[in-house]
């Protein structure tokens, strides 16, 4: 049985309650609560288990059940046992021999989208313990949020097309099915990006893969006609790393890119000189200059005293749930572009900018527990046939927006 849909629909609660009821009803039986990584299971699912056991069922630790952290087991007073299992597909154990020797009565797999179908199949093959004694059939409960993994093709799609196999069942789970959920939590879900809102709030399994694109196509074009009020001036610089890459320097007036300078095969000294010249002519203070510090860009930063350095792979600011600083700034740039709050006055590189921004996509959108990420730069370069140098220089301007008055993403 797959119990899946939006976030906050009591999926983990239901799975834990089912496990407790089964263990109390059928003395001496055994089960597995599994998840992709045992560490995540103990940090999330297990906490829900304790809450359900104590607050909802009135069970007392060390009286009605005992948790052994070292063995990762929960033993009940009637000799029933729950094994907590890591179901990750490790290259060293492609056949899940770690599950060998298990004899269980049933299983609960939480966040099943993170688990392979093979792991579930092998776990199912271990369900045989005391079935005849209690006249039970093998049962596995799985939970997940909408995903385009094997769960979509094996459960949701057959369910929608009314061709589900007799031994399978799908039950939709939505946040408003949970009468105990906080309205504040629902409001947070409403603030999500389009893909996450479709999946986690609306429980939409048919979300369009194209929705992984960060930038709205029309909004990209609007950048070249948007008229914004001026503001503080900034300079961003993406320094060329390889022969075919270009050094891009952008002069900003608020969130308007007023001038874009492209330099091919420029020496570090030439880049420094160009930035200093632009800074002096436009009254840009050094703290409002930010330079890509990776690789040879470090030399440029060192040559401009007082400027900021941008390290693409560094940790996201304010502990936000992004893979790195570059990802965080691209998400922020997309947010502002899509809201019509970014303008490009210098139209010299209009087509290049459009091409670069429209291929930037969110990566791994099915992975709810992972940090938000974008597709790798190598993939972007393959799609474009070049490095997205201007897009990177535009993105760096967001460091100041993120560092300043920056709202919290609720992913």
């Amino acid at each position: 049985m797959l119990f899946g849909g939006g976030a906050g629909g009591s999926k983990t609660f239901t799975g834990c309650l089912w496990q407790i009821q089964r263990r109390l009803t059928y003395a001496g039986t055994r089960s597995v609560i599994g998840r992709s990584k045992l560490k995540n299971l103990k940090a999330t699912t297990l906490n829900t288990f304790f809450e359900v056991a104590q607050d909802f069922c009135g069970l007392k630790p060390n009286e009605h059940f005992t948790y052994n952290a070292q063995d990762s087991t929960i033993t009940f007073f009637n000799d029933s046992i729950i094994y907590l299992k890591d179901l990750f597909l490790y290259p060293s154990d492609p056949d899940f021999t770690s599950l060998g020797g298990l004899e269980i009565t049933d299983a609960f797999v939480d966040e099943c989208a993170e688990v392979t179908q093979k792991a579930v199949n092998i776990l199912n093959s271990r369900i045989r313990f005391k079935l005849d004694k209690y006249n039970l059939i093998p049962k596995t409960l799985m939970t997940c949020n909408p995903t385009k993994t094997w769960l979509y093709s094996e459960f949701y799609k057959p369910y929608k097309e009314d061709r589900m196999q007799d031994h399978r069942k799908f039950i939709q789970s939505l946040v408003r099915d949970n009468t105990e959920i906080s309205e504040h939590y629902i409001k947070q879900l409403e603030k999500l990006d389009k893909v996450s809102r479709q999946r986690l709030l609306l429980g939409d399994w048919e979300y369009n893969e194209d929705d992984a694109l960060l930038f709205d196509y029309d909004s990209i074009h609007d950048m070249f006609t948007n008229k914004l009020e001026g503001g503080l001036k900034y300079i961003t610089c993406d320094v060329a790393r390889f022969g075919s890459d270009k050094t891009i320097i952008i002069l900003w007036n608020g969130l308007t890119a007023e001038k874009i300078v492209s330099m091919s095969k420029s020496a570090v000294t030439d880049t420094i000189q160009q930035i200093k010249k632009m800074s002096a002519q436009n009254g840009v203070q050094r703290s409002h200059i930010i330079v890509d510090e990776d690789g040879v860009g470090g030399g440029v930063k060192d040559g401009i005293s007082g400027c900021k350095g941008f390290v693409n792979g560094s940790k996201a600011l304010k502990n936000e749930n992004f893979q790195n600083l570059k990802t965080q700034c691209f998400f922020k740039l997309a947010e502002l572009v899509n809201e019509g709050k970014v303008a490009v006055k210098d139209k010299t590189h209009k087509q290049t900018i459009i091409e670069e921004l429209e291929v930037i996509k969110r990566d791994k959108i099915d992975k709810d527990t992972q940090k938000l990420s974008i597709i790798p730069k190598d993939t972007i370069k393959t799609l474009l046939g070049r490095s997205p140098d201007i897009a990177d220089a535009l993105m760096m301007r967001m460091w100041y927006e993120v560092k300043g008055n920056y709202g919290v993403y609720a992913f």
Side-chain angles (χ1 to χ4, degrees), residues 154-371:
E154 295 291 324
F155 282 86
Y156 182 76
K157 192 172 182 181
Y159 159 77
K160 291 293 290 184
E161 297 175 354
D162 196 24
R163 57 178 179 84
M164 183 77 77
Q165 294 173 297
D166 291 341
H167 68 283
R168 289 180 173 175
K169 189 75 174 178
F170 170 77
I171 298 177
Q172 179 79 303
S173 166
L174 297 175
V175 65
R176 294 193 184 277
D177 296 332
N178 181 358
T179 58
E180 301 297 320
I181 201 70
S182 169
E183 282 296 322
H184 296 294
Y185 180 75
I186 294 175
K187 289 178 180 179
Q188 287 293 88
L189 294 179
E190 291 172 344
K191 298 175 184 177
L192 295 175
D193 67 281
K194 184 176 180 180
V195 175
S196 297
R197 187 168 61 252
Q198 283 182 270
R199 294 178 59 238
L200 303 181
L201 176 64
L202 304 178
D204 182 7
W205 290 70
E206 303 291 355
Y207 59 90
N208 193 334
E209 291 286 358
D210 288 341
D211 286 340
L213 294 171
L214 288 192
F215 295 87
D216 176 73
Y217 183 75
D218 289 336
S219 297
I220 296 174
H221 282 264
D222 288 342
M223 293 168 60
F224 301 94
T225 55
N226 288 339
K227 303 296 182 182
L228 307 178
E229 292 185 7
L232 297 175
K233 293 191 175 182
Y234 299 87
I235 293 174
T236 60
C237 176
D238 180 66
V239 183
R241 297 178 184 81
F242 308 104
S244 59
D245 290 3
K246 298 181 184 297
T247 291
I248 303 296
I249 305 171
I250 302 179
L251 171 67
W252 295 83
N253 184 356
L255 286 171
T256 298
E258 290 198 328
K259 185 176 180 59
I260 301 174
V261 176
S262 175
M263 304 171 66
S264 300
K265 299 180 180 179
S266 56
V268 168
T269 52
D270 293 336
T271 303
I272 293 172
Q273 183 178 0
Q274 178 64 45
I275 293 175
K276 286 183 175 180
K277 178 182 177 181
M278 183 180 286
S279 171
Q281 290 178 341
N282 296 278
V284 183
Q285 57 196 66
R286 291 294 176 88
S287 62
H288 284 191
I289 300 172
I290 190 164
V291 177
D292 172 17
E293 197 174 354
D294 294 332
V296 295
V300 177
K301 177 184 179 297
D302 291 342
I304 305 175
S305 177
C307 77
K308 303 295 182 181
F310 189 98
V311 180
N312 289 275
S314 61
K315 184 178 179 181
L317 299 173
K318 301 188 176 181
N319 294 316
E320 295 291 349
N321 188 41
F322 295 96
Q323 185 180 44
N324 51 41
L325 178 61
K326 178 179 178 178
T327 299
Q328 183 180 27
C329 288
F330 260 121
F331 266 81
K332 187 64 177 177
L333 177 62
E335 173 192 328
L336 296 183
V337 168
N338 294 340
E339 292 176 354
K341 296 179 180 178
V342 177
V344 178
K345 186 176 180 180
D346 184 345
K347 299 178 178 60
T348 308
H349 306 280
K350 178 179 178 179
Q351 188 57 38
T352 300
I353 294 171
I354 292 172
E355 291 172 359
E356 292 183 4
L357 293 183
E358 69 178 352
V359 300
I360 297 173
K361 300 173 65 175
R362 178 174 167 181
D363 196 21
K364 301 174 182 176
I365 62 176
D366 291 323
K367 305 295 184 181
D368 296 330
T369 59
Q370 297 211 3
K371 292 183 180 296

Side-chain angles (χ1 to χ4, degrees), residues 367-380:
K367 305 295 184 181
D368 296 330
T369 59
Q370 297 211 3
K371 292 183 180 296
L372 293 171
S373 60
I374 59 175
I375 58 175
K377 188 168 185 176
D378 286 345
T379 302
I380 296 174

Side-chain angles (χ1 to χ4, degrees), residues 22-31 75-83 103-105 129-131 133-134:
R22 296 276 285 187
R23 301 292 72 77
L24 295 180
T25 302
Y26 304 111
T29 55
R30 307 169 187 158
S31 68
T75 304
F76 290 80
F77 66 91
N78 63 356
D79 296 326
S80 289
I81 299 176
I82 294 176
Y83 301 104
E103 290 189 21
I104 55 177
T105 312
F129 188 68
K130 292 192 176 182
L131 296 179
K133 177 179 178 179
Y134 290 109

Side-chain angles (χ1 to χ4, degrees), residues 54-101:
Q54 297 174 69
D55 300 339
F56 192 81
C57 298
L59 302 182
K60 298 179 180 179
N62 302 319
E63 179 179 338
H64 298 114
F65 68 92
T66 302
Y67 168 56
N68 187 317
Q70 184 172 355
D71 294 340
S72 298
T73 59
I74 301 170
T75 304
F76 290 80
F77 66 91
N78 63 356
D79 296 326
S80 289
I81 299 176
I82 294 176
Y83 301 104
L84 307 179
K85 288 294 184 179
D86 186 320
L87 301 179
F88 185 75
L89 177 58
Y90 291 99
S92 59
D93 186 19
D95 296 319
F96 296 93
T97 56
S98 60
L99 300 177

